[in-house]
Amino acid sequence: MTLNNTIDIIRPRDQLKLYGYDNYFYSFKNLYEKNKLPNAILLSGQKGLGKSTFVYHFINYLLSQNEEHKYSLDNFSINPNNPSLKLIKNSIHPNFFLLDKPSSSENIKIEQTRNLIKFLNKTTYSQTLKMVLLDDTEYLNLNSSNALLKALEESSNNTFFFI
């Protein structure tokens, strides 16, 4: 927070600590460990509740299990030195794809959805998991929605969509 009565907003992917989602986190973790986590999960609620932050933390937990500086379940935090965190922040993680509305556009374009389909058709790099975060899905146009529906229907068992 700054002294001039303004609040600095931390973007969900930059938030290293998760607050208030302990029970949800353990529920998702248990489902994953039992191989019962659905391939597509829809999270809904008012903007600003922390849904995206929760998803980034859960994705980091899954992707960093075999990494140095892995996710801490003790205090629900991401280590700033975690390799997956760095790759996701730089939008270059080979097993993670973010589909969201560009700040310069009104809608999520069909080209973005086509890039997602290309990502889904590639093999994974270092792990067997693929993670897709679909943020601001209310901004999908009709063509993007149809292409996305096809991708969701044809997803493999190692691909998880968080919508």
Side-chain angles (χ1 to χ4, degrees):
M1 191 161 10
T2 59
L3 294 176
N4 61 1
N5 293 332
T6 61
I7 298 174
D8 293 330
I9 304 295
I10 300 173
R11 296 185 308 186
R13 73 175 185 197
D14 296 330
Q15 179 60 263
L16 298 179
K17 182 85 171 95
L18 182 65
Y19 300 97
Y21 282 87
D22 306 13
N23 291 335
Y24 293 109
F25 199 98
Y26 280 123
S27 295
F28 278 43
K29 177 184 169 292
N30 290 336
L31 286 170
Y32 176 76
E33 289 172 350
K34 294 175 183 176
N35 290 323
K36 293 187 177 190
L37 186 69
N39 287 78
I41 298 171
L42 176 65
L43 301 168
S44 66
Q46 292 178 335
K47 194 166 189 74
L49 291 178
K51 298 177 300 293
S52 291
T53 302
F54 168 73
V55 170
Y56 274 109
H57 276 254
F58 189 68
I59 287 172
N60 183 272
Y61 165 75
L62 294 176
L63 292 177
S64 71
Q65 286 184 347
N66 298 321
E67 295 176 347
E68 187 177 3
H69 309 294
K70 65 182 183 176
Y71 190 84
S72 172
L73 286 172
D74 295 333
N75 59 0
F76 296 97
S77 64
I78 301 172
N79 187 310
N81 298 316
N82 177 265
S84 285
L85 170 69
K86 292 177 181 181
L87 292 171
I88 288 173
K89 281 180 128 179
N90 292 313
S91 302
I92 57 171
H93 198 292
N95 296 351
F96 174 76
F97 190 91
L98 172 64
L99 179 69
D100 68 346
K101 182 179 91 67
S103 58
S104 62
S105 176
E106 292 180 8
N107 292 316
I108 297 174
K109 307 279 189 218
I110 186 67
E111 295 84 31
Q112 293 172 267
T113 309
R114 287 182 182 139
N115 289 336
L116 169 61
I117 293 169
K118 287 178 190 174
F119 166 79
L120 294 172
N121 289 328
K122 292 179 184 176
T123 58
T124 58
Y125 174 66
S126 61
Q127 299 175 1
T128 59
L129 297 176
K130 284 187 187 180
M131 303 288 163
V132 179
L133 173 55
L134 307 169
D135 208 0
D136 294 327
T137 54
E138 64 269 21
Y139 295 105
L140 286 164
N141 65 30
L142 182 62
N143 293 331
S144 297
S145 297
N146 288 334
L148 179 60
L149 181 60
K150 184 177 179 186
L152 284 167
E153 290 172 344
E154 298 174 356
S155 67
S156 62
N157 288 337
N158 67 339
T159 304
F160 296 95
F161 291 87
F162 297 91
I163 307 167

